[in-house]
Amino acid sequence: MRNLFLGSVTERSGKSMIALGLAKNGRGKVGYFKPFREVTMCHEGRLFDQDAHLMKKALELKWTEEELSPFVYDAQRPVALDDIVASCERLREGVDDMLIEGTRDIFTGCMGGVSGPTIAHAVGASMVLVSSATLPGLDKICMLRKMMEQQSLEFRGVVLNNVSDPGPGRLLESHGVKVLGEVPTVPRLRHYTVREVAEALDARVAQGEEWLDGRVESLMIGAMSPETALTHMRRAARKALITGGDRTDIQMAALSTDTSCLVLTGGMPSARSVMVRAYEEGVPILLTDLNTLEASDRIDHLIARIDPEDSEKIELIARTIREHVDLEAVWGE
């Protein structure tokens, strides 16, 4: 049995997507363990890690989400490394290989002696890093490689995500870093739903509850004249428009184009004429107390969730990883 630790070099690297794709392309039954919970969700009175829920469903694992991701990192009251190892060992029953997913930053836990490399070494796992193809990410990869050599930790290589240029991969290879894969941006995987926008903004749904599962593919801020805005709006499909509640002109212009939702900032409700038109077009209206800049920043940093029931997206992820990652180098002996 192989233990494989997947560590994230940069935040928003797409680690969860890569983890799912690798697990779906394992050599046999792949188990899953994520020591520390991060993004949590509440279901039937239970609070658990969102990634653990996804992997439990997608990999048909018998363990509960709480068992798959049992701990919360607290630097002042750190979890004992022995407890992490014991939890990982319990989950190995009935699987051929184990995928251990780290936090969004591989250095999390250093103060408590439970960082990603420390956990990987303790459970005898090989290390695979996931990173964006940015210069800061490449520097951290080279630094981590040297650190893992000192710890006698087996470093398999790195998967670069959202790659549009082969240059970063070649640069890493020239510095002796094995590039296991270069995964291109897949637009379908970066889309999110109106419901996710509402949750990210803590927004109230003024109307359109029945349309919250609509897809959002682009983001636009309505802070210009209606005539200028309309030109740009016609080019943006399935957009979320962010504008002030008093900008009735911009809102009506958006409703004449392909719009997934209106996000009205400042807590100000829309005019009745807008609400009527939005209802006719099937466009939800979200109200948030945030200002336009704050709202756009939150949406811009929104990472599209992977619904465990979305078999089409899960298969797309599995196929993308299969086509762009050297799976034998990841899972082989």
Side-chain angles (χ1 to χ4, degrees), residues 184-192 215-217 304 313 316:
T185 299
V186 182
R188 169 76 173 87
L189 300 179
R190 299 181 67 84
H191 300 160
Y192 36 85
R215 189 185 306 169
V216 177
E217 298 183 4
K313 181 179 279 189
L316 174 58

Side-chain angles (χ1 to χ4, degrees), residues 226-287:
E227 295 77 15
T228 302
L230 193 56
T231 301
H232 295 286
M233 288 176 183
R234 285 172 176 154
R235 299 172 186 161
R238 294 186 176 182
K239 61 189 164 291
L241 176 82
I242 304 176
T243 191
D246 58 343
R247 292 299 307 269
T248 301
D249 51 353
I250 291 289
Q251 296 164 35
M252 292 297 282
L255 292 171
S256 68
T257 64
D258 189 358
T259 299
S260 294
C261 67
L262 298 179
V263 178
L264 307 186
T265 59
M268 184 180 298
S270 56
R272 178 163 180 77
S273 58
V274 172
M275 297 186 72
V276 171
R277 180 65 184 276
Y279 182 80
E280 293 172 347
E281 298 294 334
V283 176
I285 299 177
L286 310 180
L287 304 181

